[in-house]
Amino acid sequence: ADVAPKLALLRYNALERIGSADVSGSEGESGQIDFNGYRADFRFGEYDPSTDSMKLSDFRLSRLNRDQLEPMLKTTLNLKLGQTVVIGATKQPQSQRALMIVVSAKR
């Protein structure tokens, strides 16, 4: 429900959940999530108490294609605790389908 208003801004009108995961870790540790033919790898970065935010460094999204990982996206995310971020990926700008990843940082 908290993501619906963000996704309503996009031109996609049908959503299908392909997975979800809760991952916890400490600064410097790596994380990995596999879901329905995709993989997200990242490293837990520093927590900044003055801004109540944390960094996910080297966030990489890949698609599994015949035992090979095909890179799709690489970025660093700076997240305020409690903030929800939606990341989208498509093959082409006019594509009728997109992969949306919802990331939220919690204490």
Side-chain angles (χ1 to χ4, degrees):
D2 61 331
V3 177
K6 290 176 174 59
L7 295 177
L9 298 172
L10 304 171
R11 59 184 169 83
Y12 303 100
N13 57 12
L15 302 174
E16 176 185 343
R17 175 179 246 167
I18 62 170
S20 67
D22 289 324
V23 180
S24 58
S26 300
E27 292 177 6
E29 292 181 347
S30 61
Q32 179 176 305
I33 303 169
D34 290 305
F35 53 97
N36 201 29
Y38 296 93
R39 174 176 289 165
D41 294 287
F42 51 90
R43 182 167 303 283
F44 290 98
E46 297 176 9
Y47 169 71
D48 182 354
S50 66
T51 60
D52 205 25
S53 63
M54 65 163 295
K55 182 184 286 191
L56 283 185
S57 301
D58 298 327
F59 183 91
R60 294 181 311 273
L61 176 64
S62 304
R63 187 170 83 173
L64 184 61
N65 187 9
R66 294 190 197 126
D67 298 335
Q68 294 288 327
L69 285 175
E70 296 177 350
M72 297 175 66
L73 172 76
K74 181 178 178 182
T75 190
T76 295
L77 301 173
N78 293 303
L79 304 169
K80 266 188 108 65
L81 294 186
Q83 175 187 22
T84 299
V85 174
V86 179
I87 303 167
T90 65
K91 285 185 178 182
Q92 300 173 352
Q94 299 82 13
S95 179
Q96 297 294 314
R97 298 175 56 101
L99 175 66
M100 301 292 171
I101 298 173
V102 179
V103 180
S104 180
K106 298 178 182 174
R107 194 178 303 263

